Amino acid sequence: MMRLPLFEFRSPHTLDEIARMLDGEGEKAMLLAGGTDLLPNMKRRQQVPRILVSLRNIRSLHEADFDGTGARLGACVKLSEIEKDSRYRNGYSALWQAASQVATSHIRNLATLGGNVCLDTRCLYYDQNYEWRKAINFCMKKEGETCWVAPGSDRCMAVSSSDTAPALIALGARVRLKSLAADREVLLTDLYNNDGMNYMTRRPNEILSEIRLGPSHRWKSAYWKLRRRGSFDFPVLSVAAAARLSSDGVVEEARIVLGAVASRPLLAEDAAKTVVGRKLDEETIANAAKLASKIAKPLSNTDFDMSWRKKVTLEFVTYALRELRGDDMSAERRQLLGHG
Ligand SMILES: Cc1cc2nc3c(=O)[nH]c(=O)nc-3n(C[C@H](O)[C@H](O)[C@H](O)COP(=O)(O)OP(=O)(O)OC[C@H]3O[C@@H](n4cnc5c(N)ncnc54)[C@H](O)[C@@H]3O)c2cc1C
Ligand code: SF4
């Protein structure tokens, strides 16, 4: 049995108290939301904070408000709450589809949106227990010096494996970050670095307090996820797409985002540009899919063959854009779950 290392547990009642507790502690203090990623990581000694600061008692973090200007989602809104709430099943469908496909229903009852957005990057050489990692002399991401995926590389290429991050970026999400000194708001896409070790621009003393979405009116969005087991598994490739459509189906604005092909979600900007000003006909979709798959460069540090994963990018962008056009994609979705 893997045991948790010793740590000090703090459970404050206000965001200001949390900010004070994080201040000056650096990497020694970490925030605990649902704990579904952090606690297993601590058992495997991938992360060993001396202090855990719980977010559970901060009521505002659990609230979700919707109005004509968009949505404000507290960081501790649970993935199961998103899954059950019909307000996410309109223009925000990509978020609903992504949240509903994270892990299992038991885990989604604990897992939070903020924790999913801040999820650690993953790699076959890193997501192992302590003894396994010790046997290979560890790796650069934790305690070692070599990258076993690309020896000679000075950058870790562990994979961004959050399901909701690509969906939220496609929806143009912004996040609020609170620390003792300041409160700032950034586009979610700017929260990530393409670096498996230093994968977030969030500072250790910042609390991600809320996620903001713009209005969903006239937007359509979709999320497609490739994983080994249809029942539950981390994504090894995902595509999120969102578009604002005119009444006659012309794309006015669009974002296409690839997940699990780099250490951060990747915006496929050329692909998105190519659909703007056009209807989503087969030729436009094929052009966008080709452009998006060009930037997908999966590595061999996760499940499935990397060249096949690149090919699936093309398929998934095609599926996502057809879904935005209004096609019935239920047969393709059933196939992915293994019930085809
Ligand atoms: C069996 C299994 C399967 C899984 N499958 C998937 C999957 O398919 N897809 C997927 O995306 N994830 C998956 N996960 C990972 C995890 O369950 C989810 O990512 C979950 O949403 C994490 O949220 P949490 O609230 O539990 O985060 P925690 O574990 O509490 O925290 C995760 C990280 O985020 C930080 N953090 C949390 N909240 C904040 C905040 N408000 N501000 C700043 N930092 C914060 C923590 O300090 C920690 O570093 C799986 C986990 C397990 C055990
Ligand atoms: S990509 Fe390299 S450094 Fe990063 S976790 Fe994997 S083996 Fe370690």
Side-chain angles (χ1 to χ4, degrees):
M1 188 176 77
M2 287 192 289
R3 290 177 190 278
L4 283 168
L6 280 178
F7 60 88
E8 190 183 316
F9 182 69
R10 298 187 188 166
S11 192
H13 284 81
T14 67
L15 266 184
D16 285 338
E17 267 182 275
I18 297 185
R20 270 198 300 278
M21 286 176 184
L22 293 185
D23 198 52
E25 295 290 357
E27 310 284 345
K28 279 187 261 162
M30 285 185 80
L31 293 168
L32 180 71
T36 61
D37 192 60
L38 181 53
L39 296 178
N41 286 0
M42 287 172 66
K43 288 183 178 177
R44 291 188 292 253
R45 306 299 190 263
Q46 291 159 293
Q47 286 161 325
V48 276
R50 194 170 54 75
I51 303 165
L52 278 191
V53 184
S54 170
L55 298 172
R56 180 168 294 183
N57 293 326
I58 316 298
R59 190 185 297 174
S60 64
L61 298 184
H62 297 268
E63 290 166 355
D65 301 319
F66 293 74
D67 62 25
T69 65
R72 189 205 66 84
L73 313 176
C76 289
V77 166
K78 298 216 173 79
L79 300 183
S80 56
E81 290 167 349
I82 295 177
E83 191 181 359
K84 288 178 202 143
D85 191 333
S86 60
R87 291 176 296 181
Y88 297 94
R89 299 192 70 165
N90 44 28
Y92 304 142
S93 294
L95 175 59
W96 174 76
Q97 289 165 336
S100 315
Q101 292 183 70
V102 171
T104 63
S105 56
H106 293 94
I107 292 175
R108 292 193 296 274
N109 278 335
L110 286 168
T112 65
L113 188 58
N116 194 248
V117 163
C118 297
L119 183 68
D120 195 8
T121 52
R122 294 179 62 82
C123 172
L124 287 175
Y125 296 92
Y126 173 71
D127 288 289
Q128 305 288 350
N129 65 35
Y130 182 82
E131 286 71 27
W132 192 102
R133 289 185 293 115
K134 190 176 174 195
I136 61 161
N137 208 13
F138 301 104
C139 82
M140 214 161 63
K141 184 161 158 75
K142 178 79 183 167
E143 288 172 273
E145 279 163 23
T146 309
C147 170
W148 298 111
V149 176
S153 163
D154 58 0
R155 186 171 70 81
C156 163
M157 289 159 202
V159 180
S160 164
S161 304
S162 158
D163 277 306
T164 65
L168 286 166
I169 292 175
L171 293 170
R174 302 182 69 82
V175 290
R176 289 194 75 180
L177 297 157
K178 179 181 172 50
S179 67
L180 194 58
D183 217 340
R184 64 184 178 119
E185 190 173 304
V186 296
L187 272 173
L188 178 58
T189 187
D190 294 334
L191 194 65
Y192 299 106
N193 291 318
N194 200 5
D195 177 335
M197 287 160 73
N198 183 25
Y199 61 96
M200 291 200 110
T201 58
R202 171 192 160 257
R203 299 170 197 127
N205 66 346
E206 286 182 320
I207 309 148
L208 192 158
S209 59
E210 65 186 43
I211 293 128
R212 290 188 170 177
L213 297 173
S216 62
H217 181 58
R218 291 204 284 122
W219 279 87
K220 284 193 165 185
S221 66
Y223 180 74
W224 285 79
K225 167 174 180 172
L226 180 70
R227 53 183 162 178
R228 166 95 37 188
R229 294 167 292 193
S231 52
F232 79 100
D233 238 326
F234 282 92
V236 290
L237 164 73
S238 65
V239 170
R244 183 160 48 90
L245 300 165
S246 70
S247 52
D248 56 352
V250 174
V251 177
E252 295 172 344
E253 200 181 336
R255 284 181 218 95
I256 299 172
V257 186
L258 310 184
V261 290
S263 300
R264 56 157 297 143
L266 290 184
L267 265 169
E269 284 168 322
D270 290 343
K273 267 187 213 147
T274 203
V275 300
V276 172
R278 295 172 197 272
K279 288 191 176 182
L280 290 170
D281 54 35
E282 282 302 299
E283 192 190 343
T284 305
I285 291 178
N287 286 339
K290 229 181 278 167
L291 287 169
S293 73
K294 260 193 197 168
I295 63 162
K297 297 192 173 77
L299 289 168
S300 59
N301 57 348
T302 179
D303 203 359
F304 289 136
D305 175 72
M306 53 186 181
S307 48
W308 182 69
R309 281 158 63 212
K310 185 173 171 72
K311 279 188 201 143
V312 178
T313 315
L314 196 108
E315 301 284 320
F316 275 14
V317 176
T318 307
Y319 291 173
L321 294 179
R322 283 184 186 156
E323 197 166 8
L324 301 194
R325 178 172 77 183
D327 289 16
D328 177 7
M329 302 303 290
S330 48
E332 287 80 354
R333 285 207 178 270
R334 270 200 308 276
Q335 230 171 15
L336 279 177
L337 290 172
H339 310 304

